[in-house]
Amino acid sequence: MAKVWLKARHQKDAKTSSWSLKEVLGIRVWHIIWLLFFSWTPKKLNFWRLFLLRLFGAKLENVFIFSTAKIYIPWQLEMKEGGLV
């Protein structure tokens, strides 16, 4: 998982986190879910990947997400009709 250093410009320094505990835990849980249930799925299981992303708060219409897509913060993902990742 990539390291996300600074969330906002008003963050005091690189040692103090501006991420809340809820956000940090959500990212960690999502990463585990991504490894176990998302990253290995075949193309035909797009509905499953969309279900998992929506479960974590992604706003998705009729889109296609490849299993190799690396999504770190799904609740900030928003895609419109015909989107492809």
Side-chain angles (χ1 to χ4, degrees):
M1 186 169 159
K3 294 189 178 194
V4 183
W5 293 104
L6 298 177
K7 180 179 173 186
R9 295 187 186 274
H10 63 274
Q11 184 174 340
K12 294 176 186 174
D13 56 30
K15 294 180 182 177
T16 53
S17 178
S18 64
W19 296 94
S20 69
L21 181 60
K22 180 181 176 184
E23 290 171 323
V24 170
L25 292 176
I27 291 169
R28 300 292 184 213
V29 169
W30 166 251
H31 184 66
I32 292 168
I33 296 296
W34 182 83
L35 284 172
L36 295 177
F37 302 111
F38 190 98
S39 62
W40 58 269
T41 57
K43 269 188 177 182
K44 293 183 180 182
L45 288 179
N46 184 52
F47 69 92
W48 175 251
R49 292 188 292 274
L50 294 179
F51 168 75
L52 290 173
L53 286 167
R54 286 180 180 130
L55 192 65
F56 276 81
K59 295 176 181 90
L60 307 170
E61 290 182 12
N62 188 18
V63 298
F64 187 86
I65 308 285
F66 286 97
S67 61
T68 55
K70 291 189 170 54
I71 300 166
Y72 294 104
I73 307 172
W75 53 89
Q76 291 185 350
L77 178 65
E78 185 174 341
M79 293 179 68
K80 300 291 181 186
E81 183 82 25
L84 189 69
V85 174

